[in-house]
Amino acid sequence: MSRTIGFVGAGNMGKAIMNGIIKAGIASPQDIVVYDVYPPSLDAVQTELGVTTTSNEKEVVQKADIIILAVKPNNIAEVLTTIKEDISADKIIVSIAAGVTLERLSANVPEKTKIVRVMPNTPALVGEGMSALSCNAYVTKEEQAELLAIFRSFGEAEVVGDYLMDVVTGLSGSGPAFVYMFIEALADGAVAEGLSRANAYKFAAQTVLGSAKVVLETGKHPGELKDMVSSPGGTTIAGVKSLENDRFRAAVINAVVAATEKSRTL
């Protein structure tokens, strides 16, 4: 990619995206321009990744072609107002602020600005993120492909309609917390039966990791994969019955719905 990529915000998520871009060879560190209001974060990405840093967000927009706003939702309007005068028609503004719609983003920038809303998730920190992108009408198919390449550099990414972004927030955005709770619960069950805490966490986490890879790589329905493990009269089906008795699936569904509804109110 011949474009310069700018970042306003160098926190954990911004840093994860930069790292993915550099590792994938999408852009060199010298072609990544970064600003953060917190100097230690700025110093850290410069030292660790070799990116170019600036003294303010306006300079990022002036130097970059694609500008990724890795800031909190309550700061996004202020940042957009600050950089508005520097946004030209050829630049692409990318926001990863949760709950901020394309309509709200467009209200703070020049008319016909190319805007992309993205919902990444925290597994991006280890190169296994899941990101959803929603582009407004001014982003071309070629530019959309470039943006997908950026967000696939640290995991997987798909394009969805803006109206589905709250659902994505409830699923892949909040989902890691639910998975961590599941891993903890699996481990607690094993510890209750005598396995050491360290081994319990390792067995549980690797089991979740491996199972997820089977779903992705085989393309089989999760229910079919569950049936493959559940021998008649065996241990697994006994555990499945216990989970059903405790309304496990209903509890998970309700958690995703609750997180989705909360996202709509942000």
Side-chain angles (χ1 to χ4, degrees):
M1 185 182 296
S2 58
R3 295 178 184 263
T4 299
I5 303 173
F7 285 81
V8 177
N12 288 334
M13 188 58 69
K15 184 178 176 182
I17 299 171
M18 293 176 218
N19 192 47
I21 289 170
I22 294 167
K23 283 187 173 181
I26 292 172
S28 67
Q30 294 75 25
D31 291 326
I32 297 175
V33 184
V34 188
Y35 169 72
D36 194 285
V37 294
Y38 186 56
S41 293
L42 202 57
D43 293 340
V45 293
Q46 184 179 42
T47 301
E48 295 174 31
L49 303 178
V51 298
T52 302
T53 60
T54 68
S55 58
N56 58 71
E57 55 267 71
K58 290 175 69 66
E59 192 175 350
V60 170
V61 180
Q62 291 163 3
K63 292 183 175 182
D65 304 301
I66 298 173
I67 299 94
I68 298 175
L69 306 180
V71 299
K72 301 293 185 183
N74 58 320
N75 295 327
I76 194 73
E78 180 184 353
V79 170
L80 287 171
T81 300
T82 301
I83 65 175
K84 183 176 182 178
E85 294 180 356
D86 300 290
I87 300 174
S88 56
D90 60 327
K91 296 183 184 293
I92 303 172
I93 303 298
V94 181
S95 166
I96 66 169
V100 184
T101 64
L102 288 176
E103 182 180 5
R104 286 171 60 190
L105 292 166
S106 64
N108 292 282
V109 295
E111 189 178 354
K112 297 185 179 181
T113 296
K114 298 177 181 186
I115 306 173
V116 182
R117 177 187 177 189
V118 182
M119 182 66 225
N121 66 3
T122 55
L125 300 175
V126 293
E128 293 292 347
M130 182 68 232
S131 302
L133 285 70
S134 182
C135 308
N136 72 1
Y138 305 113
V139 178
T140 68
K141 291 295 184 182
E142 292 76 16
E143 290 167 337
Q144 181 176 285
E146 287 182 317
L147 292 161
L148 279 171
I150 288 173
F151 285 91
R152 284 173 177 164
S153 70
F154 53 90
E156 293 292 334
E158 296 294 340
V159 174
V160 303
D162 193 45
Y163 71 99
L164 291 172
M165 292 297 275
D166 291 317
V167 181
V168 170
T169 301
L171 176 56
S172 59
S174 300
F178 309 153
V179 174
Y180 300 145
M181 292 173 70
F182 178 53
I183 290 171
E184 183 181 33
L186 283 174
D188 282 348
V191 170
E193 292 296 327
L195 196 64
S196 72
R197 176 64 65 180
N199 272 343
Y201 282 141
K202 184 172 184 177
F203 275 69
Q206 182 61 35
T207 297
V208 170
L209 173 63
S211 300
K213 289 191 72 172
V214 171
V215 172
L216 292 172
E217 293 183 12
T218 66
K220 292 182 181 293
H221 190 285
E224 180 183 356
L225 294 170
K226 179 263 295 176
D227 290 348
M228 289 168 60
V229 187
S230 303
S231 303
T235 59
T236 303
I237 197 63
V240 168
K241 182 177 182 296
S242 177
L243 288 172
E244 292 290 3
N245 288 341
D246 292 333
R247 302 185 73 248
F248 171 73
R249 288 192 289 185
V252 175
I253 291 168
N254 289 341
V256 174
V257 171
T260 300
E261 292 175 348
K262 179 63 177 179
S263 178
R264 293 191 178 110
T265 68
L266 293 176

